[in-house]
Amino acid sequence: MENADYFVLDDELWEELLALTDGEAAPCFQCGVCTASCPWGLVRGETFSVRKLIRQVQLGTLNEQEDLWLCTTCSQCEPYCPRGVPVVEIIQALRYMMWKRRAILEGLPSLLWSVYWNNNPWFQPPSQRTQWALTLDLPTYDPDHHDILLYIGCTASYDRRAQNLAHSLIQILRAFQIPFGVLGEDEPCCGETILRLGHLPYFKEIAEAGAKIFRDRGVGKLVAISPHCYDVFLNHYPEVNRDFEPLHYTEYLASVIETGGLKFQKTFDRKVTYHDPCYLGRRNQGYEAPRKILESIPGVTLVEMENSGMDALCCGGGGGRMWMETAPGERFSDLRVQEAAATGANVIATACPFCITCLEDGVKSMGIEGLEVLDIVEIAAQVLQK
Amino acid sequence: MTDFKIVVCMKVVPKPEEIRVDPETRRLERSQVRSEFNPPDMNALEMALRLKDLYNARVIILSMGPAFFEPYLRIGLAMGADEAFLLSDRRFAGADTLATTYTLAKGIEKLGHPDLIICGEESSDGATGQVPPGLAEWLGIPQITLVTDIEMDLEQRVVRGRREVRGGHEMLEVPTPAVISVKTASNEPRFMDYEIKDKAFKQTKIGVWSCEDIEADEGYIGVPGSPTIVTGFEQATIRERKREFLPGARDEVVRRLLESIQDYL
Amino acid sequence: MVASLYGVEDEQKAIWVFLEQMEGEVERVSLEILSKGRQLADEAGWSLVGLLLGHQVSDQAERMVAYGADEVWLAVHPLLEYFTVDAYAHVVEQAMLKGRPSVFLCGATPNGRDLAGRLAVRLRTGLNADCTDLRLNPENGMLTSEVTGFGGGVLALLESPHHRPQMSTVRPGVFPMGEEDPNREGHVHEMEFELAEGMIHTKLIQRVVGEGVDLTQTPVLVCGGRGIEGKFDMLQEFAHLMNGEVGATRPPVDEGHIERERQVGQTGVVCRPKVAFACGISGAFHFVVGIQDADIVVAINSDPNAPIFEYTDFCIVDDALQFVPALIEAIQMDRATAND
């Protein structure tokens, strides 16, 4: 460590960070590998530096707060850290320190209020959470009759584009007679956005309340449409009950395919490249299941992008960035769709509603012709035998 | 300057999209409805809390309504208000603007002499916007309504407010004490402070005052104090978009469109 | 029970309309109310009185007769040149106690609401705010006001049977403006009243008209997306005709066709106009959130399957680049004819 003792100005800031991260920030020795691997380097050069942020806290001079909100929590850096520092956790803790100091970007308090009053981060009325499904007649989850609780999530409930993911998944479950239920208007927001934006105590409150709902309803297998919801249920919720098993839908469908319960009959004659969502892939090692589903679809030619799997480039929508503006020329999705185009694929498949939004934006703004963005579940629904 | 005191009037309202009118009885169905803080009142509280940050003012929330308002007032405390009082008495029920402003004014008098009374522009349920001037009249003090920004001169005991008017704004100055109403959405209400939330939700005592506590004249509150009577409710068409495709050649469509939107302009 | 300063037994069978003026010009909403007031007065056989306060406004008084007033009460004073609620409430109160009208109406404008809110308390009477319709029962002289609540989802009918005056503020734009008839006859009555500097506590420090954009407050919002290919001049012209502002989706902002402060949506401004136009916009959820509180949404897009139409009241399948100019031309023609 380079003469760290010389520079300690405000021990309190550093102590606060250590307390918030259970000391996990301590091993950082400022090597800078995190900064070198950060995708912001691809669009901004050196201006956003994870290393520097931590350094500033060590020095007690954390003031460049705008940078702190750039992080998409993609975890690209974490596997490279020689000391195993959980960078995303540190970013979240730093963000919470900003909440405490009320040095917050405009719009973020409103986002929290939206979750508080509306049970969703999209400023939509809670009473309209199930409006997308009015004609579907979805059964309310009952552990005695249903294999799974289908957790729709806020985005797939309200965003018309993402609603198609929910519709597709329901079509598949029904086609293969898999008994499932939903929570309808009682479905709680998972709180993922709140966690990523660093409001740790509010997230804790949401997670406890959500876990109680799942417990009271006797939820066992929970299948989530978005990897973001899935991630918090799996890694950040308190214990629900012994049977609670959160799954991303790709994992669930892949397991049903494995046991022969699901077969696709029609063909999808397209060249497909798969974009790994951060919270499915890097965060939870869900690399195989989505590829397995794609491979089981007749006609699909699967090609990989230059960076895939563990090195997949983030779409830019994580870490609360879906609610912040990213300047043109700085959007990861613009780079990502070019990578996809370079494979010669005509479909980018992915498995996350945020990725869909960002990648579709990228395809449009880069003016790429003949490249369609689809969620795996949409492709799967297209090849169902009638 | 801890003797600078601000009262913020706040109200809990049903979420507007959930209110229905019973087609038979023509009454409002509001039993199963979710409630929230009247959004404009959140802007009022935020303005008060900014003044607290600047001048170390004491911020007091005052509300009138049934007991279920209490947990909502705690949200205000968790945002940073110092105290909260609820005017709650069955006899207050059924109040129109005249009785409401009278009751609130009596509550404010009981609270001592605030320098500012800050209200939201209007409530999302009644949407009259008449509480702030009515309150100012009962209290016999000046008002500045629809303010987007405010500055205090504590020496001169005046307040200056930037007020939105058609096509621009004006800067008005009045002596304190004064009533201020805040233009909706002119600031962003802060989220609750979790360092104080537990205390706000579990410990802080909320003063609940009856008609006698505020020494109100029974003829001026609730139904007897309200000249206005509601003779009926009707459900307005719900905000479901029409999705009406205007047919015809371009010129016809232009005509149809201009006719269609005329009523809304 | 609370009693008003004068009651039903002392009322004059008259409808009074407060004529709001700004810089010597009577506001449109006041003319709209005069026109509605004329109709109600004729049905009930009552008289219609305009109340005009200001400094150099005498010329306007005759015009108000032409717009339907039987009588205009005129209060002229240098201290009334600009609206202050203290001065105006003081003078209007004196007029009302002299004239004791059964009905008093004014526009639900910022100043109208300030004035009415104070007067109602001072006279201890009821006040129905921001009314969207008015009925007067010729039998018993009862005014019924229709108001909206709960974000416009519920209509309520209100009456004030035992208190006078029956006061209502009227939402601008709900009643059509009547025709000016120069042959109408009426009487202008110049009021005597008390008013002194010491009664006014409000100081107008500054008044600025016509300044920077505030999309959150505009009544009409004209938004352009990719489909208008950067032709924001055209939208600007249209918005200007509609007394509105121009907004945009993200792509044209990114491409530098228009400034970032005009970006509408989740990461831009969330607006609540009366009418929102979406021109050449496909309808991404991110954008739609910014106009979901509009009373009415009009969309123009050449693709009949564009998602924007799901969020639209009036859908127009056409090229915005062709349709908007046609719309501009039609409005200009209508205005030219109206002015002939």
Short mmCIF file of all heavy atoms in Angstrom, two decimals, chain C residues 88-143:
data_model
loop_
_atom_site.label_atom_id
_atom_site.label_comp_id
_atom_site.label_asym_id
_atom_site.label_seq_id
_atom_site.Cartn_x
_atom_site.Cartn_y
_atom_site.Cartn_z
N TYR C 88 -58.17 44.08 -4.36
CA TYR C 88 -59.32 43.60 -5.13
C TYR C 88 -60.41 43.03 -4.21
O TYR C 88 -61.59 43.29 -4.40
CB TYR C 88 -58.87 42.59 -6.18
CG TYR C 88 -58.48 43.24 -7.49
CD1 TYR C 88 -57.49 44.22 -7.53
CD2 TYR C 88 -59.11 42.90 -8.68
CE1 TYR C 88 -57.14 44.83 -8.72
CE2 TYR C 88 -58.77 43.50 -9.89
CZ TYR C 88 -57.78 44.47 -9.90
OH TYR C 88 -57.44 45.06 -11.08
N ALA C 89 -60.00 42.25 -3.22
CA ALA C 89 -61.00 41.66 -2.31
C ALA C 89 -61.74 42.78 -1.57
O ALA C 89 -62.95 42.72 -1.37
CB ALA C 89 -60.32 40.71 -1.33
N HIS C 90 -61.00 43.80 -1.22
CA HIS C 90 -61.59 44.91 -0.49
C HIS C 90 -62.67 45.63 -1.31
O HIS C 90 -63.78 45.89 -0.82
CB HIS C 90 -60.47 45.88 -0.12
CG HIS C 90 -60.88 46.87 0.92
ND1 HIS C 90 -61.02 46.52 2.25
CD2 HIS C 90 -61.19 48.18 0.83
CE1 HIS C 90 -61.40 47.59 2.92
NE2 HIS C 90 -61.52 48.61 2.09
N VAL C 91 -62.35 45.90 -2.56
CA VAL C 91 -63.29 46.63 -3.41
C VAL C 91 -64.47 45.75 -3.82
O VAL C 91 -65.63 46.17 -3.79
CB VAL C 91 -62.57 47.21 -4.65
CG1 VAL C 91 -63.57 47.84 -5.62
CG2 VAL C 91 -61.51 48.22 -4.22
N VAL C 92 -64.17 44.49 -4.17
CA VAL C 92 -65.26 43.60 -4.59
C VAL C 92 -66.22 43.36 -3.41
O VAL C 92 -67.44 43.33 -3.59
CB VAL C 92 -64.71 42.26 -5.14
CG1 VAL C 92 -65.86 41.30 -5.45
CG2 VAL C 92 -63.89 42.51 -6.40
N GLU C 93 -65.67 43.23 -2.23
CA GLU C 93 -66.52 43.05 -1.04
C GLU C 93 -67.51 44.21 -0.90
O GLU C 93 -68.71 44.02 -0.70
CB GLU C 93 -65.64 42.96 0.21
CG GLU C 93 -66.43 42.85 1.50
CD GLU C 93 -65.62 43.23 2.74
OE1 GLU C 93 -64.42 43.57 2.60
OE2 GLU C 93 -66.19 43.19 3.84
N GLN C 94 -66.99 45.45 -1.07
CA GLN C 94 -67.87 46.61 -0.95
C GLN C 94 -68.96 46.59 -2.00
O GLN C 94 -70.14 46.87 -1.72
CB GLN C 94 -67.05 47.90 -1.09
CG GLN C 94 -66.09 48.13 0.07
CD GLN C 94 -65.22 49.36 -0.16
OE1 GLN C 94 -65.71 50.46 -0.36
NE2 GLN C 94 -63.91 49.14 -0.16
N ALA C 95 -68.58 46.20 -3.23
CA ALA C 95 -69.55 46.15 -4.32
C ALA C 95 -70.63 45.12 -4.02
O ALA C 95 -71.83 45.36 -4.22
CB ALA C 95 -68.84 45.82 -5.63
N MET C 96 -70.20 43.97 -3.52
CA MET C 96 -71.16 42.88 -3.28
C MET C 96 -72.13 43.25 -2.17
O MET C 96 -73.33 42.91 -2.25
CB MET C 96 -70.41 41.62 -2.87
CG MET C 96 -69.40 41.21 -3.92
SD MET C 96 -69.93 39.74 -4.74
CE MET C 96 -69.04 38.58 -3.80
N LEU C 97 -71.62 43.91 -1.14
CA LEU C 97 -72.53 44.25 -0.05
C LEU C 97 -73.53 45.32 -0.50
O LEU C 97 -74.64 45.41 0.02
CB LEU C 97 -71.74 44.70 1.18
CG LEU C 97 -70.95 43.55 1.85
CD1 LEU C 97 -70.12 44.06 3.02
CD2 LEU C 97 -71.89 42.42 2.30
N LYS C 98 -73.12 46.12 -1.50
CA LYS C 98 -74.06 47.10 -2.06
C LYS C 98 -75.05 46.42 -3.00
O LYS C 98 -76.24 46.65 -2.93
CB LYS C 98 -73.29 48.17 -2.83
CG LYS C 98 -73.23 49.50 -2.10
CD LYS C 98 -72.43 50.52 -2.91
CE LYS C 98 -71.30 51.06 -2.05
NZ LYS C 98 -70.25 51.74 -2.82
N GLY C 99 -74.53 45.59 -3.90
CA GLY C 99 -75.38 45.01 -4.95
C GLY C 99 -76.09 43.73 -4.53
O GLY C 99 -77.08 43.36 -5.12
N ARG C 100 -75.58 43.03 -3.51
CA ARG C 100 -76.14 41.79 -2.98
C ARG C 100 -76.64 40.82 -4.06
O ARG C 100 -77.80 40.40 -4.06
CB ARG C 100 -77.28 42.10 -2.00
CG ARG C 100 -76.85 42.94 -0.79
CD ARG C 100 -77.90 42.99 0.28
NE ARG C 100 -79.24 43.34 -0.20
CZ ARG C 100 -79.64 44.58 -0.50
NH1 ARG C 100 -78.83 45.62 -0.35
NH2 ARG C 100 -80.86 44.77 -0.93
N PRO C 101 -75.76 40.46 -4.99
CA PRO C 101 -76.19 39.54 -6.06
C PRO C 101 -76.49 38.14 -5.51
O PRO C 101 -75.89 37.73 -4.52
CB PRO C 101 -74.99 39.49 -6.99
CG PRO C 101 -73.82 39.79 -6.12
CD PRO C 101 -74.32 40.78 -5.10
N SER C 102 -77.37 37.45 -6.19
CA SER C 102 -77.66 36.07 -5.82
C SER C 102 -76.52 35.15 -6.26
O SER C 102 -76.21 34.18 -5.59
CB SER C 102 -78.96 35.61 -6.49
OG SER C 102 -79.20 34.26 -6.19
N VAL C 103 -75.92 35.49 -7.41
CA VAL C 103 -74.87 34.65 -7.97
C VAL C 103 -73.64 35.49 -8.27
O VAL C 103 -73.77 36.61 -8.78
CB VAL C 103 -75.36 33.96 -9.28
CG1 VAL C 103 -74.21 33.24 -9.98
CG2 VAL C 103 -76.50 32.99 -8.98
N PHE C 104 -72.47 34.97 -7.93
CA PHE C 104 -71.22 35.65 -8.26
C PHE C 104 -70.28 34.65 -8.93
O PHE C 104 -69.98 33.60 -8.36
CB PHE C 104 -70.55 36.22 -7.01
CG PHE C 104 -69.23 36.89 -7.26
CD1 PHE C 104 -69.16 38.23 -7.65
CD2 PHE C 104 -68.04 36.19 -7.13
CE1 PHE C 104 -67.94 38.84 -7.90
CE2 PHE C 104 -66.81 36.80 -7.38
CZ PHE C 104 -66.77 38.14 -7.76
N LEU C 105 -69.82 35.00 -10.14
CA LEU C 105 -68.96 34.08 -10.89
C LEU C 105 -67.64 34.76 -11.24
O LEU C 105 -67.61 35.95 -11.52
CB LEU C 105 -69.64 33.67 -12.21
CG LEU C 105 -71.05 33.08 -12.12
CD1 LEU C 105 -71.63 32.89 -13.53
CD2 LEU C 105 -71.04 31.77 -11.35
N CYS C 106 -66.58 33.99 -11.20
CA CYS C 106 -65.33 34.51 -11.77
C CYS C 106 -64.52 33.36 -12.33
O CYS C 106 -64.82 32.19 -12.10
CB CYS C 106 -64.55 35.35 -10.77
SG CYS C 106 -63.62 34.47 -9.56
N GLY C 107 -63.51 33.69 -13.12
CA GLY C 107 -62.69 32.67 -13.78
C GLY C 107 -61.83 31.94 -12.75
O GLY C 107 -61.34 32.54 -11.80
N ALA C 108 -61.65 30.65 -12.99
CA ALA C 108 -60.79 29.87 -12.08
C ALA C 108 -59.33 30.02 -12.51
O ALA C 108 -58.62 29.06 -12.73
CB ALA C 108 -61.22 28.41 -12.07
N THR C 109 -58.91 31.26 -12.60
CA THR C 109 -57.52 31.58 -12.94
C THR C 109 -56.76 31.75 -11.62
O THR C 109 -57.39 31.81 -10.56
CB THR C 109 -57.47 32.91 -13.70
OG1 THR C 109 -58.08 33.91 -12.85
CG2 THR C 109 -58.26 32.85 -15.00
N PRO C 110 -55.45 31.88 -11.65
CA PRO C 110 -54.73 32.10 -10.39
C PRO C 110 -55.30 33.28 -9.60
O PRO C 110 -55.59 33.15 -8.40
CB PRO C 110 -53.30 32.36 -10.85
CG PRO C 110 -53.17 31.56 -12.11
CD PRO C 110 -54.52 31.66 -12.77
N ASN C 111 -55.51 34.41 -10.25
CA ASN C 111 -56.02 35.57 -9.52
C ASN C 111 -57.49 35.40 -9.14
O ASN C 111 -57.91 35.80 -8.05
CB ASN C 111 -55.86 36.84 -10.36
CG ASN C 111 -54.39 37.25 -10.49
OD1 ASN C 111 -53.55 36.77 -9.73
ND2 ASN C 111 -54.09 38.09 -11.46
N GLY C 112 -58.27 34.79 -10.02
CA GLY C 112 -59.68 34.57 -9.73
C GLY C 112 -59.85 33.68 -8.51
O GLY C 112 -60.71 33.92 -7.66
N ARG C 113 -59.03 32.66 -8.42
CA ARG C 113 -59.13 31.76 -7.26
C ARG C 113 -58.68 32.44 -5.97
O ARG C 113 -59.27 32.21 -4.91
CB ARG C 113 -58.25 30.53 -7.48
CG ARG C 113 -58.78 29.59 -8.53
CD ARG C 113 -57.87 28.38 -8.59
NE ARG C 113 -58.22 27.53 -9.70
CZ ARG C 113 -58.19 26.20 -9.65
NH1 ARG C 113 -57.81 25.59 -8.55
NH2 ARG C 113 -58.51 25.48 -10.70
N ASP C 114 -57.66 33.25 -6.08
CA ASP C 114 -57.19 33.98 -4.90
C ASP C 114 -58.30 34.87 -4.36
O ASP C 114 -58.58 34.91 -3.17
CB ASP C 114 -56.02 34.90 -5.28
CG ASP C 114 -54.68 34.19 -5.14
OD1 ASP C 114 -54.69 32.95 -5.11
OD2 ASP C 114 -53.65 34.89 -5.07
N LEU C 115 -58.91 35.59 -5.28
CA LEU C 115 -59.95 36.55 -4.91
C LEU C 115 -61.16 35.83 -4.34
O LEU C 115 -61.65 36.15 -3.25
CB LEU C 115 -60.34 37.35 -6.16
CG LEU C 115 -61.48 38.33 -6.01
CD1 LEU C 115 -61.07 39.48 -5.10
CD2 LEU C 115 -61.93 38.88 -7.38
N ALA C 116 -61.65 34.82 -5.07
CA ALA C 116 -62.87 34.12 -4.65
C ALA C 116 -62.66 33.41 -3.32
O ALA C 116 -63.55 33.40 -2.47
CB ALA C 116 -63.29 33.12 -5.73
N GLY C 117 -61.49 32.83 -3.14
CA GLY C 117 -61.21 32.10 -1.91
C GLY C 117 -61.30 32.99 -0.69
O GLY C 117 -61.82 32.61 0.36
N ARG C 118 -60.80 34.21 -0.83
CA ARG C 118 -60.86 35.14 0.32
C ARG C 118 -62.27 35.67 0.52
O ARG C 118 -62.77 35.75 1.63
CB ARG C 118 -59.90 36.31 0.11
CG ARG C 118 -58.45 35.95 0.32
CD ARG C 118 -57.60 37.20 0.54
NE ARG C 118 -57.47 37.48 1.95
CZ ARG C 118 -56.33 37.33 2.64
NH1 ARG C 118 -55.24 36.91 2.05
NH2 ARG C 118 -56.29 37.61 3.92
N LEU C 119 -62.92 36.03 -0.60
CA LEU C 119 -64.26 36.62 -0.48
C LEU C 119 -65.26 35.67 0.14
O LEU C 119 -66.10 36.07 0.94
CB LEU C 119 -64.76 37.03 -1.87
CG LEU C 119 -64.26 38.37 -2.38
CD1 LEU C 119 -64.71 38.54 -3.81
CD2 LEU C 119 -64.79 39.51 -1.50
N ALA C 120 -65.17 34.40 -0.25
CA ALA C 120 -66.15 33.43 0.25
C ALA C 120 -66.07 33.37 1.77
O ALA C 120 -67.10 33.32 2.45
CB ALA C 120 -65.88 32.06 -0.36
N VAL C 121 -64.87 33.39 2.30
CA VAL C 121 -64.72 33.36 3.76
C VAL C 121 -65.22 34.67 4.36
O VAL C 121 -65.94 34.70 5.35
CB VAL C 121 -63.26 33.07 4.16
CG1 VAL C 121 -63.06 33.30 5.65
CG2 VAL C 121 -62.89 31.63 3.79
N ARG C 122 -64.87 35.78 3.71
CA ARG C 122 -65.26 37.08 4.25
C ARG C 122 -66.78 37.22 4.30
O ARG C 122 -67.34 37.76 5.24
CB ARG C 122 -64.64 38.19 3.40
CG ARG C 122 -64.57 39.51 4.12
CD ARG C 122 -63.74 40.53 3.36
NE ARG C 122 -62.34 40.16 3.26
CZ ARG C 122 -61.42 40.92 2.66
NH1 ARG C 122 -61.77 42.06 2.08
NH2 ARG C 122 -60.16 40.53 2.60
N LEU C 123 -67.45 36.68 3.27
CA LEU C 123 -68.91 36.80 3.21
C LEU C 123 -69.60 35.60 3.87
O LEU C 123 -70.82 35.54 3.91
CB LEU C 123 -69.36 36.92 1.75
CG LEU C 123 -68.79 38.11 0.97
CD1 LEU C 123 -69.08 37.96 -0.52
CD2 LEU C 123 -69.36 39.42 1.49
N ARG C 124 -68.78 34.64 4.35
CA ARG C 124 -69.30 33.43 5.01
C ARG C 124 -70.27 32.66 4.10
O ARG C 124 -71.39 32.33 4.49
CB ARG C 124 -70.04 33.79 6.31
CG ARG C 124 -69.23 34.57 7.32
CD ARG C 124 -68.25 33.67 8.03
NE ARG C 124 -67.63 34.33 9.17
CZ ARG C 124 -66.45 34.98 9.12
NH1 ARG C 124 -65.78 35.06 7.97
NH2 ARG C 124 -65.96 35.53 10.20
N THR C 125 -69.79 32.41 2.90
CA THR C 125 -70.66 31.69 1.98
C THR C 125 -69.92 30.53 1.32
O THR C 125 -68.72 30.35 1.54
CB THR C 125 -71.24 32.65 0.92
OG1 THR C 125 -72.25 31.98 0.17
CG2 THR C 125 -70.17 33.13 -0.04
N GLY C 126 -70.65 29.76 0.55
CA GLY C 126 -70.06 28.60 -0.12
C GLY C 126 -69.35 29.00 -1.40
O GLY C 126 -69.64 30.04 -1.99
N LEU C 127 -68.41 28.16 -1.81
CA LEU C 127 -67.67 28.46 -3.03
C LEU C 127 -67.42 27.16 -3.76
O LEU C 127 -66.87 26.22 -3.21
CB LEU C 127 -66.34 29.14 -2.67
CG LEU C 127 -65.33 29.29 -3.80
CD1 LEU C 127 -65.91 30.09 -4.96
CD2 LEU C 127 -64.08 29.99 -3.28
N ASN C 128 -67.85 27.13 -5.01
CA ASN C 128 -67.61 25.94 -5.83
C ASN C 128 -66.52 26.28 -6.82
O ASN C 128 -66.63 27.23 -7.58
CB ASN C 128 -68.90 25.54 -6.55
CG ASN C 128 -70.01 25.35 -5.55
OD1 ASN C 128 -69.84 24.66 -4.56
ND2 ASN C 128 -71.13 26.02 -5.79
N ALA C 129 -65.45 25.50 -6.77
CA ALA C 129 -64.25 25.91 -7.49
C ALA C 129 -64.08 25.16 -8.78
O ALA C 129 -64.34 23.96 -8.86
CB ALA C 129 -63.04 25.68 -6.59
N ASP C 130 -63.62 25.88 -9.78
CA ASP C 130 -63.21 25.28 -11.04
C ASP C 130 -64.36 24.50 -11.69
O ASP C 130 -64.21 23.36 -12.10
CB ASP C 130 -62.02 24.34 -10.78
CG ASP C 130 -61.18 24.14 -12.04
OD1 ASP C 130 -61.23 25.03 -12.92
OD2 ASP C 130 -60.51 23.11 -12.16
N CYS C 131 -65.50 25.16 -11.78
CA CYS C 131 -66.70 24.49 -12.29
C CYS C 131 -66.60 24.24 -13.79
O CYS C 131 -66.03 25.03 -14.54
CB CYS C 131 -67.93 25.36 -12.02
SG CYS C 131 -68.13 25.64 -10.27
N THR C 132 -67.19 23.14 -14.20
CA THR C 132 -67.19 22.79 -15.61
C THR C 132 -68.58 22.95 -16.24
O THR C 132 -68.73 22.83 -17.43
CB THR C 132 -66.71 21.34 -15.80
OG1 THR C 132 -67.43 20.51 -14.87
CG2 THR C 132 -65.23 21.23 -15.51
N ASP C 133 -69.57 23.19 -15.38
CA ASP C 133 -70.89 23.51 -15.92
C ASP C 133 -71.71 24.22 -14.84
O ASP C 133 -71.44 24.06 -13.65
CB ASP C 133 -71.63 22.24 -16.38
CG ASP C 133 -72.73 22.57 -17.40
OD1 ASP C 133 -72.86 23.76 -17.77
OD2 ASP C 133 -73.45 21.65 -17.80
N LEU C 134 -72.68 25.01 -15.28
CA LEU C 134 -73.54 25.76 -14.35
C LEU C 134 -74.98 25.65 -14.81
O LEU C 134 -75.27 25.68 -16.01
CB LEU C 134 -73.16 27.25 -14.37
CG LEU C 134 -71.76 27.65 -13.91
CD1 LEU C 134 -71.51 29.12 -14.23
CD2 LEU C 134 -71.60 27.40 -12.41
N ARG C 135 -75.88 25.47 -13.84
CA ARG C 135 -77.32 25.51 -14.13
C ARG C 135 -77.99 26.42 -13.12
O ARG C 135 -77.60 26.45 -11.96
CB ARG C 135 -77.91 24.10 -14.00
CG ARG C 135 -77.87 23.29 -15.28
CD ARG C 135 -78.07 21.81 -14.99
NE ARG C 135 -76.78 21.12 -14.90
CZ ARG C 135 -76.64 19.88 -14.45
NH1 ARG C 135 -77.67 19.19 -14.03
NH2 ARG C 135 -75.44 19.33 -14.42
N LEU C 136 -78.97 27.19 -13.58
CA LEU C 136 -79.70 28.05 -12.66
C LEU C 136 -81.17 27.69 -12.76
O LEU C 136 -81.75 27.71 -13.84
CB LEU C 136 -79.48 29.52 -13.05
CG LEU C 136 -80.13 30.56 -12.14
CD1 LEU C 136 -79.53 30.52 -10.74
CD2 LEU C 136 -79.96 31.97 -12.73
N ASN C 137 -81.74 27.30 -11.63
CA ASN C 137 -83.15 26.92 -11.60
C ASN C 137 -84.02 28.19 -11.56
O ASN C 137 -83.98 28.93 -10.57
CB ASN C 137 -83.40 26.05 -10.37
CG ASN C 137 -84.81 25.51 -10.31
OD1 ASN C 137 -85.72 26.11 -10.88
ND2 ASN C 137 -84.97 24.39 -9.63
N PRO C 138 -84.78 28.45 -12.63
CA PRO C 138 -85.55 29.71 -12.68
C PRO C 138 -86.63 29.75 -11.61
O PRO C 138 -87.05 30.83 -11.19
CB PRO C 138 -86.19 29.69 -14.08
CG PRO C 138 -85.54 28.58 -14.82
CD PRO C 138 -84.99 27.62 -13.82
N GLU C 139 -87.08 28.59 -11.13
CA GLU C 139 -88.13 28.54 -10.11
C GLU C 139 -87.65 29.09 -8.77
O GLU C 139 -88.23 30.00 -8.21
CB GLU C 139 -88.59 27.08 -9.88
CG GLU C 139 -89.02 26.35 -11.13
CD GLU C 139 -90.32 26.93 -11.68
OE1 GLU C 139 -91.24 27.14 -10.87
OE2 GLU C 139 -90.40 27.19 -12.91
N ASN C 140 -86.55 28.48 -8.28
CA ASN C 140 -86.12 28.85 -6.93
C ASN C 140 -84.79 29.62 -6.89
O ASN C 140 -84.26 29.87 -5.82
CB ASN C 140 -86.02 27.59 -6.05
CG ASN C 140 -85.04 26.57 -6.62
OD1 ASN C 140 -84.31 26.88 -7.57
ND2 ASN C 140 -85.03 25.38 -6.07
N GLY C 141 -84.24 29.91 -8.06
CA GLY C 141 -83.00 30.69 -8.10
C GLY C 141 -81.78 29.95 -7.61
O GLY C 141 -80.77 30.56 -7.26
N MET C 142 -81.84 28.62 -7.59
CA MET C 142 -80.72 27.83 -7.09
C MET C 142 -79.69 27.57 -8.19
O MET C 142 -80.04 27.11 -9.28
CB MET C 142 -81.24 26.49 -6.57
CG MET C 142 -80.21 25.69 -5.84
SD MET C 142 -80.20 26.13 -4.12
CE MET C 142 -81.60 25.15 -3.58
N LEU C 143 -78.46 27.86 -7.87
CA LEU C 143 -77.37 27.61 -8.82
C LEU C 143 -76.79 26.22 -8.54
O LEU C 143 -76.43 25.92 -7.41
CB LEU C 143 -76.27 28.66 -8.66
CG LEU C 143 -75.08 28.53 -9.62
CD1 LEU C 143 -75.45 29.04 -11.01
CD2 LEU C 143 -73.87 29.29 -9.09
#
